[in-house]
Amino acid sequence: DAMVIQNPRYQVTQFGKPVTLSCSQTLNHNVMYWYQQKSSQAPKLLFHYYDKDFNNEADTPDNFQSRRPNTSFCFLDIRSPGLGDAAMYLCATSRGQGKDEKLFFGSGTQLSVL
Amino acid sequence: SQQGEEDPQALSIQEGENATMNCSYKTSINNLQWYRQNSGRGLVHLILIRSNEREKHSGRLRVTLDTSKKSSSLLITASRAADTASYFCATDRGSGNQFYFGTGTSLTVIP
């Protein structure tokens, strides 16, 4: 089945140690998104790629970076994780072809910072 | 930043009852969508309503949209224990490719 896959399901890192989260998709969608979701809060859009075009949200900290080497893969890099970066990170995709776009989500990566 | 507010924040009902959740947003939109999230999992798309539509149905779901009040409601009829989840509205702020979520409603359906 076509889907959005995030690995790993759980990630533990140390304070200040760079960490990379991975997302892949078999939907062949043009757009890939990264959301941060803290406990009992709404998912917060960090940035998205429309094909190779990167779109950063104005309030996304510089500590967060992203790479999209090809259509299928997208990575979230956290350069120096702080305790406040512990959260669920959700990858999503959309077709990017029309008005009635909807998001397809992966299962998320739960990041812990020690 | 978040798009808007949802209320109630939490809702607990008996199985078989109807559940109504409300969403308010702040900017112009192309459409408004509702998503469901089971605990610790990703979100799943439920239903989309366009800005020129006032009501839409899908199975046990009924969504209304009032663009003059910048608000929407999601009604789940004949609720089941399996409907227990968090429900979020999302809008695109007219951009088409950027989606912003409301604060969510946590629904508990008691068997």
Side-chain angles (χ1 to χ4, degrees):
Chain A
D1 289 340
M3 53 199 307
V4 181
I5 303 163
Q6 291 187 247
N7 286 306
R9 183 75 179 88
Y10 300 94
Q11 176 75 55
V12 180
T13 191
Q14 291 180 334
F15 182 94
K17 184 175 181 181
V19 65
T20 295
L21 307 182
S22 302
C23 177
S24 65
Q25 55 130 342
T26 61
L27 297 162
N28 203 33
H29 283 174
N30 289 321
V31 193
M32 295 188 77
Y33 307 80
W34 281 104
Y35 284 86
Q36 177 194 63
Q37 186 179 27
K38 296 187 177 180
S39 181
S40 301
Q41 295 185 19
K44 178 181 180 297
L45 180 62
L46 296 175
F47 26 60
H48 76 279
Y49 274 95
Y50 191 108
D51 196 11
K52 296 181 180 180
D53 293 332
F54 178 70
N55 298 272
N56 198 28
E57 292 297 301
D59 56 355
T60 297
D62 293 339
N63 198 26
F64 291 85
Q65 309 267 313
S66 186
R67 296 170 284 135
R68 188 179 185 187
N70 53 52
T71 300
S72 301
F73 286 87
C74 196
F75 301 98
L76 170 62
D77 301 308
I78 308 177
R79 291 191 298 185
S80 181
L83 298 179
D85 296 328
M88 172 77 86
Y89 289 89
L90 295 162
C91 175
T93 70
S94 71
R95 295 172 308 164
Q97 294 177 353
K99 290 190 299 183
D100 294 344
E101 296 295 325
K102 61 182 183 181
L103 295 170
F104 294 79
F105 281 86
S107 295
T109 294
Q110 183 68 50
L111 178 68
S112 299
V113 181
L114 304 180
Chain B
S1 57
Q2 290 170 191
Q3 170 66 327
E5 301 288 325
E6 290 183 56
D7 75 88
Q9 284 191 322
L11 179 61
S12 183
I13 60 174
Q14 296 287 332
E15 199 165 33
E17 293 180 339
N18 295 341
T20 300
M21 292 159 258
N22 303 296
C23 165
S24 61
Y25 57 93
K26 299 175 183 176
T27 66
S28 62
I29 60 172
N30 287 319
N31 61 61
L32 184 142
Q33 305 177 36
W34 285 89
Y35 288 79
R36 166 196 168 121
Q37 184 179 34
N38 285 47
S39 180
R41 309 300 294 181
L43 285 78
V44 176
H45 180 266
L46 294 176
I47 193 166
L48 178 152
I49 186 166
R50 295 176 179 170
S51 60
N52 62 354
E53 296 175 317
R54 292 298 167 258
E55 186 171 316
K56 200 163 184 179
H57 297 253
S58 176
R60 292 185 297 115
L61 305 180
R62 172 178 169 253
V63 172
T64 62
L65 178 65
D66 186 337
T67 53
S68 67
K69 296 181 179 178
K70 290 188 168 56
S71 68
S72 174
S73 67
L74 172 67
L75 169 67
I76 304 174
T77 61
S79 63
R80 305 166 182 168
D83 295 329
T84 294
S86 291
Y87 293 81
F88 294 90
C89 66
T91 61
D92 65 354
R93 294 186 189 171
S95 72
N97 281 313
Q98 292 162 253
F99 299 90
Y100 302 91
F101 286 85
T103 50
T105 294
S106 176
L107 174 65
T108 301
V109 181
I110 303 166

